[in-house]
């Protein structure tokens, strides 16, 4: 009972500083907009945004589903590609030396400049959004996983080798255990990047998803509706980040 109570207290202590800061920022935002009589089409007040957020939920459900399903598919593929590449690069240093510069180059490409080219080749369908998410996310996953794998404690690894452990056993009981923190750092960053990539692709082209909805509302100067879509994007991204963080904490505690 005491442990459970301590966990609740720790969670509350962790949450209340950002909550207080967010509330203060919203109060300042509301006050500035009201005091200066800023038009809603120019900058909506928080009360207007949350009203639109509540009113448009039913209308936006199809777009929410499209955005999040694309992100989940793209993110899972990015994990597979990123981790597989990390293992390959670390297992074969010569391959790593050849591919590392290209991975860094991919990290530096702004997705908003790449999406139009992908659309010329693949059209405006779902595949472009998913590919954009994968390209946006897998390099950061790969680089963090590679860092974790290469920074394994050499003493423990040599001990396992002296005990004639197989490659699979070395990977499972030594390399993976030491690399888990870095791997999940990459997965959490990848979760954030995947949402950025997906929404960027939707805003650049297409007629579905939250990114497309933001373009539509901005075109009609509906800033409150557009910003309400941003809240959905933040919530969806935060949920994915929290789930990945919880899985990582559980696995690291178990190991």
């Amino acid at each position: 009972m005491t442990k459970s109570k301590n966990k609740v207290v720790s969670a509350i202590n962790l949450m209340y500083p950002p909550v207080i800061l967010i509330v203060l920022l919203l109060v300042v935002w509301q006050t500035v907009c009201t005091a200066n009589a800023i038009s809603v089409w120019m900058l909506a007040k928080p009360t207007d945004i949350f009203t639109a957020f509540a009113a448009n939920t039913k209308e936006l459900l199809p777009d929410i589903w499209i955005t999040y399903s694309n992100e989940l598919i793209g993110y899972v593929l990015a994990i597979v590609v990123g981790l597989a590449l990390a293992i390959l690069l670390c297992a074969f240093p010569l391959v790593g030396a050849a591919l590392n510069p290209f991975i860094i180059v991919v990290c530096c490409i702004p997705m908003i400049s790449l999406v139009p080219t992908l659309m010329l080749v693949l059209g405006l369908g779902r595949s472009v959004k998913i590919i954009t998410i994968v390209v946006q996310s897998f390099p950061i996953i790969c680089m963090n996983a590679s860092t974790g794998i290469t920074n394994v404690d050499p003493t423990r690894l040599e001990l396992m080798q002296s005990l004639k452990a197989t490659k699979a056993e070395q990977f499972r009981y030594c390399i993976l255990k030491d690399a888990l923190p870095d791997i999940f750092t990459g997965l959490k960053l990848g979760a954030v990047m995947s949402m950025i990539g997906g929404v960027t692709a939707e805003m650049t082209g297409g007629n579905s998803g939250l990114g497309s909805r933001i373009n539509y509302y901005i075109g009609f100067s509906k800033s409150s509706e557009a910003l309400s879509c941003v809240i959905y994007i933040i919530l969806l991204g935060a949920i994915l980040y929290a789930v990945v963080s919880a899985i990582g904490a559980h696995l690291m505690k178990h190991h």
Side-chain angles (χ1 to χ4, degrees):
M1 182 66 70
T2 303
K3 289 184 178 180
S4 300
K5 186 177 180 181
N6 289 337
K7 287 182 179 179
V8 172
V9 172
S10 298
I12 293 173
N13 289 336
L14 188 64
M15 289 176 63
Y16 82 80
V19 169
I20 291 174
L21 178 59
I22 291 170
V23 171
L24 288 174
L25 290 175
L26 290 175
V27 169
V28 171
W29 182 352
Q30 180 80 22
T31 304
V32 170
C33 288
T34 303
N36 293 282
I38 298 176
S39 301
V40 67
W41 62 267
M42 185 180 297
L43 179 62
K45 297 188 289 292
T47 50
D48 297 326
I49 296 169
F50 288 116
T51 300
F53 176 83
N56 295 336
T57 299
K58 188 175 181 180
E59 180 185 349
L60 291 175
L61 279 178
D63 296 291
I64 293 171
W65 166 250
I66 289 169
T67 296
Y68 212 46
S69 60
N70 287 345
E71 179 180 347
L72 289 176
I73 295 170
Y75 179 57
V76 170
L77 290 175
I79 291 174
V80 173
V81 173
L83 294 182
L85 262 179
I87 294 171
L88 178 67
L89 299 183
C90 294
F92 303 98
L94 186 60
V95 176
L99 291 182
N100 274 329
F102 292 96
I103 295 173
I104 295 171
V105 167
V106 172
C107 280
C108 297
I109 297 175
M111 286 299 104
I112 197 168
S113 65
L114 182 63
V115 172
T117 304
L118 291 175
M119 287 180 174
L120 284 176
V121 178
L122 301 173
L124 299 176
R126 190 178 193 183
S127 58
V128 174
K129 281 78 171 178
I130 293 173
I131 290 172
T132 303
I133 292 168
V134 174
V135 174
Q136 179 89 71
S137 304
F138 89 84
I140 197 72
I141 295 173
C142 176
M143 288 192 294
N144 277 273
S146 298
T147 300
I149 292 171
T150 54
N151 288 339
V152 172
D153 184 355
T155 305
R156 293 177 60 243
L157 192 57
E158 289 171 4
L159 177 60
M160 291 201 70
Q161 292 169 347
S162 68
L163 295 173
K164 297 183 178 180
T166 64
K167 291 287 186 181
E169 289 172 335
Q170 292 175 35
F171 181 80
R172 178 181 176 185
Y173 296 109
C174 181
I175 297 174
L176 184 59
K177 180 180 178 180
D178 282 4
L180 268 181
D182 290 297
I183 289 173
F184 272 94
T185 297
L187 294 181
K188 287 187 285 187
L189 291 173
V192 176
M193 300 302 288
S194 66
M195 180 59 78
I196 295 172
V199 175
T200 298
E202 290 173 355
M203 295 187 72
T204 305
N207 55 4
S208 60
L210 291 172
S212 176
R213 276 287 182 170
I214 291 173
N215 283 341
Y216 172 80
Y217 288 133
I218 289 175
F220 288 93
S221 299
K222 296 182 176 181
S223 67
S224 55
E225 286 81 359
L227 289 171
S228 72
C229 291
V230 174
I231 295 177
Y232 284 109
I233 293 169
I234 293 170
L235 289 176
L236 296 176
I239 289 170
L240 183 57
Y241 183 92
V243 169
V244 174
S245 298
I247 293 172
H250 174 75
L251 288 178
M252 283 184 276
K253 181 179 179 182
H254 175 72
H255 276 284

